[in-house]
Amino acid sequence: ATAPADWDAPLAGTVAVVTGAARGIGATIAEVLSRDGAHVICADIPAAGEGLSTTANKVGGTALAVDVTADDAADKIAEAVKKQGGRLDILVNNAGITRDKLLANMDAARWNSVLSVNLLAPQKLTEKLVDLGVLGKGGRVVDVSSIAGIAGNRGQTNYGTSKAGVIGLVDTHSDAYAGQGITINAVAPGFIETDMTAAIPFATREVGRRMNAMQQGGQTVDVAETVAYFASPSSAAVTGNVVRVCGQSLL
Ligand code: NAI
């Protein structure tokens, strides 16, 4: 690892892309990376509305309206990175969705949309951005998995499978890109208090909180600081890891 030139701004001079940055965990990741000195390109779907420009303005970054599942998503991101000098130092594949149903009512549309956003988009974006020459030596990729990808979760066969897939992706990508000096790691949040979890019925939400051995929901900053560690110059030797954030899951 290389010690940062400036400990107060370890990411000074770097360019980061955070997908799903309009709100929740992604918005806080953008804030923390920006605090550490990165220029953050905040990417989210057009439907995210004002949240995207709010985050981008707050962090002094760039707002980029892009659907991570679109065929041209990597090209759009590469174009935005080129406007910042052409080199992408940090890619955070955070955008994610849930389409929960108990198994009896689970359908193909729910499976496909969840796998497409949560698993195939991180896979394609990472590979295409490397192929386009935007992501290269010294680059950092942080994928957002979930405790549901480690322990499963009732009503989330699609989501749990997508997030387990992300762990497989980290294992294989970290090996595939080690020779090019790119690290690939993941965070696996437990129950974090965001709009995504606020949509869960109250009783299930309480169970979510209590499934954490620390008996509380985590905050977005808990996840964001772990992402910042994987992005920092000090973690250059760390690749292929999945860090659980938010207590020890009792699932
Ligand atoms: P959220 O729903 O508050 O935010 C997700 C963001 O992703 C939204 O702004 C949304 O517009 C964006 N997004 C969705 N589809 C997109 C697409 N196709 N292209 C671009 N952007 C898209 O969710 P939250 O809670 O902030 O979750 C962030 C990540 O953390 C997700 O990957 C989620 O699965 C993961 N996670 C969240 C946990 C929690 O307890 N909140 C627990 C474990 C993992």
Side-chain angles (χ1 to χ4, degrees):
T2 318
D6 178 353
W7 287 99
D8 289 330
L11 301 181
T14 65
V15 174
V17 167
V18 180
T19 68
R23 67 181 202 182
I25 294 171
T28 309
I29 293 171
E31 279 184 60
V32 169
L33 296 184
S34 149
R35 175 206 66 193
D36 285 353
H39 177 91
V40 185
I41 297 170
C42 304
D44 211 305
I45 41 174
E50 280 181 15
L52 182 55
S53 50
T54 304
T55 309
N57 290 340
K58 195 169 179 184
V59 307
T62 308
L64 178 66
V66 63
D67 181 336
V68 292
T69 66
D71 285 341
D72 63 351
D75 296 309
K76 278 192 175 161
I77 290 172
E79 209 174 292
V81 169
K82 283 191 181 130
K83 287 187 187 145
Q84 300 303 322
R87 181 190 145 109
L88 177 60
D89 302 283
I90 303 151
L91 170 65
V92 186
N93 284 310
N94 163 79
I97 59 169
T98 50
R99 295 287 183 271
D100 301 350
K101 278 282 171 198
L102 288 174
L103 191 53
N105 298 320
M106 185 57 79
D107 55 65
R110 285 188 171 82
W111 264 97
N112 294 342
S113 56
V114 167
L115 283 175
S116 172
V117 177
N118 295 5
L119 177 58
L120 300 182
Q123 175 248 328
K124 287 180 190 154
L125 285 185
T126 301
E127 293 177 9
K128 285 189 184 170
L129 288 167
V130 173
D131 290 348
L132 289 167
V134 171
L135 187 61
K137 194 166 174 48
R140 307 299 176 86
V141 178
V142 187
D143 293 331
V144 178
S145 177
S146 169
I147 291 289
I150 296 171
N153 197 21
R154 187 172 296 175
Q156 292 196 313
T157 49
N158 52 357
Y159 183 81
T161 303
S162 73
K163 295 298 187 178
V166 167
I167 295 173
L169 190 65
V170 167
D171 283 338
T172 47
H173 270 174
S174 59
D175 173 58
Y177 293 121
Q180 293 177 56
I182 304 169
T183 70
I184 321 270
N185 293 285
V187 286
F191 184 93
I192 307 293
E193 308 280 357
T194 68
D195 291 324
M196 181 185 270
T197 48
I200 300 170
F202 177 77
T204 315
R205 202 158 69 232
E206 258 328 286
V207 171
R209 292 193 180 106
R210 285 167 203 284
M211 277 301 161
N212 174 348
M214 299 181 87
Q215 299 282 298
Q216 60 189 12
Q219 302 300 317
T220 57
V221 72
D222 298 326
V223 182
E225 292 287 6
T226 312
V227 172
Y229 166 70
F230 285 135
S232 78
S234 319
S235 69
V238 180
T239 193
N241 287 270
V242 180
V243 170
R244 286 187 277 190
V245 179
C246 189
Q248 170 67 33
S249 174
L250 298 176
L251 280 174

